[in-house]
Amino acid sequence: AARAEVFLPPHGAAMFAVRRLDSAHPAYLGSNLHFSQGLELNDWLPRPDGLSLHLDRPGRAQGFIDLYLPRPPRSAQIDESPLTWQQIAADCYRLNVAFQHQAGLTIEY
């Protein structure tokens, strides 16, 4: 299991999202784009060889999304431009995103 350390200032707060995981299918783990940990996710289309998803936020959004993927990504794009990612835990990846209002992401694995 991954170990996360969270340091909060006095009177600070932390929010955590708890989701069921099926290791055979991708999962949206959360982001720093909205405190709901998922309200920004507008569409989710898993495929045998990857995943397509759509993000929707008012104004300009910049941050990251975290995904569980059953296999390592071979490529990732945001609105047809290359997207960077890093592995943050076993089978979990952080993708850096920046967009205005809406973005379509495609991940191939």
Side-chain angles (χ1 to χ4, degrees):
R3 180 176 169 228
E5 293 187 21
V6 178
F7 299 98
L8 296 173
H11 308 288
M15 292 184 70
F16 298 91
V18 179
R19 294 181 169 82
R20 184 176 305 275
L21 178 65
D22 175 350
S23 63
H25 298 96
Y28 193 80
L29 301 177
S31 76
N32 68 348
L33 300 175
H34 195 273
F35 72 90
S36 69
Q37 297 295 305
L39 187 63
E40 67 280 1
L41 183 61
N42 194 23
D43 203 11
W44 180 262
L45 300 167
R47 300 182 320 272
D49 63 344
L51 169 70
S52 296
L53 60 105
H54 187 89
L55 300 174
D56 195 354
R57 289 278 303 135
R60 176 143 178 80
Q62 183 171 1
F64 62 82
I65 63 170
D66 292 339
L67 301 175
Y68 166 83
L69 300 174
R71 292 186 302 283
R74 288 185 292 121
S75 68
Q77 294 183 333
I78 184 168
D79 294 330
E80 300 183 13
S81 295
L83 189 60
T84 61
W85 72 86
Q86 63 265 13
Q87 187 169 1
I88 56 173
D91 302 321
C92 297
Y93 301 89
R94 177 163 288 168
L95 289 81
N96 300 305
V97 297
F99 58 95
Q100 184 76 26
H101 299 291
Q102 301 177 352
L105 283 77
T106 304
I107 296 105
E108 302 291 332
Y109 47 75

